[in-house]
Amino acid sequence: MQAEIGEDDKAPRAPSRDQDRARGALLIIDMINCFDFSGAETVLPKAILAADAILGLRAAFERRGWPIIYVNDNFGEWHSERSRLVERALSHPNPVLEKLRPRDKDFFVIKPQFSGFYATNLPVLLSKLGVDRLVLTGIATDICVLFTAADAHMRDYRLWIPRNAVGAETAEHDQWALSIMEKSMAAETAPTDDLNAETWFERRLG
């Protein structure tokens, strides 16, 4: 389960040494997806809306030169890697991936379980990149986003989970998870309509 760093001339390369922690990273969680799981029919419309918000965040991170990291489940395919996951998700019409297809310059981490930190090289990658704050986006709010947020909080990362950039099967699950992350993990949960990415960057620098 490794991030694909430097697989070609355009792929991103992490520094060989840990950098000073003064940057943010955008995590895009499980959005490379076939949406063929139970409950997908209710999650998909929310994922499409979340993808629009994520595109805005991705542009803001690019302007600042901060890393964009896709963190994606292997969906039980233990021999899978980035291109195979994308190919599988594009094997039928996929409005989410059509918006959010990863680029060569984006980092990519494949996870075997709910949390992006569990049994992956994400902790090492974030240290190499000098990251001290994370914006978590993707699906599902009450599962993989929540577990990743909990692990990030225990590692002292400052968190923003924009409520319009995540999605769960029901509105109740969304609100329950966002409330936990806000109250127990000191996460900002304002939507991108109410909180500008640049404002959040500056606020968290202080």
Side-chain angles (χ1 to χ4, degrees):
M1 311 309 165
Q2 297 191 4
E4 296 181 4
I5 303 170
E7 68 175 19
D8 56 43
D9 290 340
K10 295 182 180 178
R13 295 183 181 274
S16 58
R17 295 184 178 181
D18 291 358
Q19 304 299 294
D20 291 338
R21 292 182 56 170
R23 305 172 79 203
L26 173 63
L27 302 193
I28 302 174
I29 300 171
D30 285 349
M31 292 293 270
I32 299 174
N33 203 306
C34 291
F35 294 96
D36 54 2
F37 53 87
S38 176
E41 67 280 359
T42 59
V43 174
L44 180 56
K46 299 173 184 178
I48 294 172
L49 292 175
D52 291 328
I54 294 169
L55 283 175
L57 289 165
R58 189 167 75 173
F61 271 76
E62 286 178 338
R63 286 193 296 270
R64 196 166 264 248
W66 283 359
I68 296 153
I69 306 172
Y70 283 74
V71 179
N72 221 85
D73 200 271
N74 67 6
F75 299 109
E77 295 187 9
W78 292 95
H79 294 292
S80 221
E81 42 78 37
R82 171 181 176 156
S83 61
R84 193 165 161 186
L85 286 173
V86 172
E87 181 181 354
R88 178 175 178 266
L90 285 172
S91 61
H92 53 82
N94 191 321
V96 173
L97 191 52
E98 287 168 8
K99 292 174 182 284
L100 282 179
R101 187 189 297 224
R103 293 82 46 84
D104 289 333
K105 61 185 177 182
D106 298 324
F107 291 95
F108 203 96
V109 171
I110 298 178
K111 63 183 177 65
Q113 278 291 346
F114 303 132
S115 172
F117 287 86
Y118 178 76
T120 76
N121 66 353
L122 182 62
V124 176
L125 177 62
L126 295 176
S127 294
K128 298 294 183 189
L129 296 172
V131 170
D132 69 349
R133 70 212 74 173
L134 298 170
V135 180
L136 305 188
T137 66
I139 58 173
T141 318
D142 58 328
I143 306 174
C144 295
V145 175
L146 177 63
F147 278 76
T148 301
D151 277 349
H153 176 65
M154 288 189 291
R155 290 166 172 79
D156 293 326
Y157 288 99
R158 296 175 178 180
L159 298 173
W160 179 24
I161 301 101
R163 61 181 60 246
N164 64 330
V166 294
E169 190 170 338
T170 69
E172 290 77 13
H173 289 177
D174 251 326
Q175 185 52 46
W176 170 80
L178 287 163
S179 178
I180 289 176
M181 291 185 283
E182 184 175 2
K183 294 176 181 177
S184 299
M185 304 172 198
E188 174 64 73
T189 62
T192 58
D193 296 335
D194 294 341
L195 179 59
N196 179 277
E198 290 295 334
T199 300
W200 183 78
F201 292 155
E202 298 302 329
R203 177 192 301 175
R204 292 307 192 179
L205 285 171

